[in-house]
Amino acid sequence: MIHTANRVLVSDLRQHVGETVSVSGWVNTLRLQAKMQFVVVRDHTGMVQVTHRRGDEGDETEAALESLTAESAVRITGRVVDNAIVKLGGLELIPESVEVLNRAETPLPIDEQTGLEHRLDWRFLDVRIRPQAQLPFVTQTTFEQGMREYAYSQGCTEMHTPKLMGTASESGAEVFELGYFGRSAYLAQSPQFFKQMAIAAGIDKVFEIGPVFRAEPSFTSRHATEFTGVDVELAWITDVEDVMRFEERMLAYGLAKVAEQHGEAIREVFGVEVAVPQVPFPRITMAEAQEILRGKGWDPEGVKEDLDPEGERGIAAHIKEQTGHEFVFITHYPTSIRPFYHMRPADRPDLTLSFDLLWKGLEITTGAQREHRYDVLVKQAAEKGMSTEPLQDYLNAFRYGCPPHGGLGMGLGRVLMVMLGLDSIREATFLFRGPNRLTP
């Protein structure tokens, strides 16, 4: 048994020409010819060709290579050799020992032609064998790192709020109920109330990246029953503009980091250019947006209070045409379609100081200035026909000097979807959860 050299990543092999090294990875392809055996081994950084000339009787390397199957996990120790003919980086590995760490069964349950739903059943393999399934998570890591760096630079404290609640938070309809020691608990639809409590606790700026649960029976390409939310709450704001300013800068910072580190890979794998947006993003009121859209034949009856997906795409296309910008904040949503805790302008009680952020026509964020005055909150909850009793813990946070504040909730999967031009949020999620999917 040859002593195994230290593991070298495929991307670093060029620095080890002439040395004996060990490569660990998966068998990508096998070409077993009469005189030669060629095996391409892949790790997370790239691929290398292993080249072996068949020997005489009792050639252990030949027997080991012959026994391999596609996707078997192997450790191959050998000499790194320069060979200009080899397409993969002009290098090959001449094996001295081959260890089969875990032989893959054959045939594989999925291949390049397999449809999305079946690929999701075998997601670990899907992510392993397709660069376009793996790159989103590398990108997501960098993007989250960028958002965190920006948030930290602005003095934010990162919080972890409970995902179990004793009462259904914002509305009874879209929550998952579960048994909790003989009574009912609910999965949090949003960290909203908790991050407001953190503001009331004197934590100046709050942010959280964590799971969010929505019991919506939605089967669209942009809905999931469990997703990752990016939530921010800022104290002592003067108006909702402070929140929008924070978000556009945070996004621009995160996107710049992605463009710098993965721009080339994203261009190669997805054919998409990651552009760093200019700030400030355009802003348009809901009333203006609807007027523009109706001028183009949207909602001819004039009955829609909210923008449907078609309306969102329409207004985004209009803004892009007018300003060249892919982002747009839609502001001042009607009170009727916003939660009771959104603040309303003193002179326009029918509107809220709230916004949605659209990117290329997809809503990726909802935000607002919150109502921080106890008496006004109670009144607004009553107007919405809500009982204040289950809200008492939340409302108590506003009775003892809560500062003006506002914040936002962003869907991480949706941002990745738009950034990489993916067709569905299923592809931007490692293990997707939807009304019909609780496995694997």
Side-chain angles (χ1 to χ4, degrees):
M1 176 78 205
I2 293 176
H3 174 69
T4 308
N6 283 341
R7 182 185 182 199
V8 172
L9 295 174
V10 168
S11 57
D12 296 334
L13 285 173
R14 175 56 59 199
Q15 293 144 40
H16 296 275
V17 172
E19 294 172 30
T20 297
V21 301
S22 182
V23 169
S24 300
W26 289 274
V27 174
N28 195 69
T29 49
L30 293 148
R31 283 205 338 268
L32 305 174
Q33 299 173 350
K35 289 199 168 78
M36 301 292 290
Q37 292 168 304
F38 299 102
V39 178
V40 173
V41 173
R42 180 188 77 245
D43 70 12
H44 67 283
T45 69
M47 297 198 257
V48 62
Q49 178 173 295
V50 177
T51 307
H52 180 63
R53 183 176 293 283
R54 289 184 190 270
D56 304 322
E57 199 78 6
D59 179 347
E60 281 178 25
T61 300
E62 177 183 339
L65 292 174
E66 203 66 23
S67 75
L68 294 178
T69 54
E71 292 308 315
S72 289
V74 294
R75 183 184 293 123
I76 297 185
T77 301
R79 203 160 36 89
V80 184
V81 176
D82 241 323
N83 183 346
I85 302 165
V86 178
K87 285 195 183 71
L88 295 170
L91 288 176
E92 59 188 353
L93 196 61
I94 309 298
E96 292 165 18
S97 79
V98 176
E99 278 178 86
V100 184
L101 304 172
N102 189 326
R103 188 175 182 279
E105 289 180 26
T106 170
L108 295 170
I110 57 170
D111 62 22
E112 280 293 325
Q113 272 60 61
T114 306
L116 179 61
E117 278 306 307
H118 188 48
R119 283 200 275 115
L120 292 185
D121 292 337
W122 295 96
R123 187 64 163 150
F124 70 92
L125 261 185
D126 182 39
V127 170
R128 190 205 300 171
I129 64 185
R130 290 191 319 128
Q132 52 280 46
Q134 198 166 107
L135 188 54
F137 307 113
V138 179
T139 304
Q140 174 183 300
T141 300
T142 301
F143 183 61
E144 276 189 53
Q145 186 191 355
M147 288 194 294
R148 280 197 169 90
E149 279 175 15
Y150 180 78
Y152 297 155
S153 76
Q154 300 304 301
C156 287
T157 302
E158 189 165 1
M159 303 291 283
H160 299 288
T161 60
K163 303 305 162 221
L164 288 167
M165 304 176 84
T167 53
S169 57
E170 305 186 20
S171 65
E174 292 172 1
V175 291
F176 289 109
E177 186 178 348
L178 62 155
Y180 195 75
F181 304 111
R183 55 197 169 110
S184 280
Y186 304 89
L187 291 178
Q189 289 171 280
S190 151
Q192 184 61 50
F193 291 0
F194 299 127
K195 61 184 181 166
Q196 287 186 267
M197 284 180 201
I199 293 293
I203 300 173
D204 204 62
K205 296 183 174 86
V206 173
F207 100 103
E208 173 168 19
I209 299 179
V212 178
F213 302 90
R214 297 275 162 94
E216 288 181 275
S218 293
F219 297 89
T220 75
S221 62
R222 61 184 192 283
H223 284 89
T225 51
E226 176 183 354
F227 61 89
T228 301
V230 178
D231 273 85
V232 175
E233 206 69 29
L234 311 170
W236 308 104
I237 62 170
T238 50
D239 58 28
V240 69
E241 184 59 42
D242 291 342
V243 182
M244 294 191 279
R245 200 177 300 122
F246 183 99
E247 174 166 39
E248 63 197 3
R249 290 176 182 181
M250 179 172 77
L251 276 168
Y253 187 95
L255 286 169
K257 214 169 175 66
V258 168
E260 181 194 340
Q261 290 188 26
H262 311 296
E264 214 174 306
I266 291 169
R267 197 177 306 123
E268 205 174 297
V269 172
F270 295 110
V272 172
E273 200 63 50
V274 179
V276 182
Q278 293 290 306
V279 296
F281 297 175
R283 286 124 164 89
I284 184 172
T285 67
M286 177 60 126
E288 292 168 327
Q290 292 188 330
E291 196 181 323
I292 289 164
L293 285 166
R294 291 196 174 114
K296 297 172 185 264
W298 174 82
D299 183 32
E301 290 82 51
V303 291
K304 290 180 180 167
E305 289 186 287
D306 205 348
L307 298 182
D308 55 8
E310 181 201 353
E312 290 176 341
R313 288 191 293 270
I315 200 65
H318 173 82
I319 295 291
K320 176 105 166 71
E321 204 178 293
Q322 298 291 307
T323 68
H325 219 291
E326 292 179 339
F327 287 90
V328 57
F329 283 112
I330 312 280
T331 68
H332 298 85
Y333 277 69
T335 302
S336 54
I337 56 173
R338 287 305 214 204
F340 77 93
Y341 53 77
H342 282 190
M343 187 179 267
R344 304 169 187 180
D347 55 343
R348 287 294 303 271
D350 57 324
L351 296 179
T352 56
L353 296 171
S354 68
F355 64 86
D356 274 6
L357 177 61
L358 309 182
W359 186 12
K360 295 188 185 176
L362 184 69
E363 175 209 319
I364 58 167
T365 303
T366 296
Q369 178 163 0
R370 320 298 181 192
E371 181 51 69
H372 62 283
R373 296 162 296 186
Y374 178 78
D375 51 334
V376 180
L377 267 172
V378 171
K379 184 170 128 287
Q380 291 183 178
E383 274 174 29
K384 292 258 182 199
M386 296 174 79
S387 153
T388 52
E389 193 222 348
L391 294 169
Q392 206 48 58
D393 279 334
Y394 170 67
L395 292 171
N396 281 344
F398 303 94
R399 291 170 57 193
Y400 302 97
C402 185
H405 60 283
L408 61 99
M410 178 199 302
L412 184 61
R414 288 191 179 189
V415 174
L416 278 174
M417 239 178 102
V418 183
M419 188 194 304
L420 303 176
L422 304 172
D423 292 333
S424 167
I425 199 158
R426 289 161 179 76
E427 300 183 73
T429 313
F430 178 46
L431 297 169
F432 174 74
R433 292 292 176 257
N436 290 344
R437 186 174 284 279
L438 270 172
T439 56

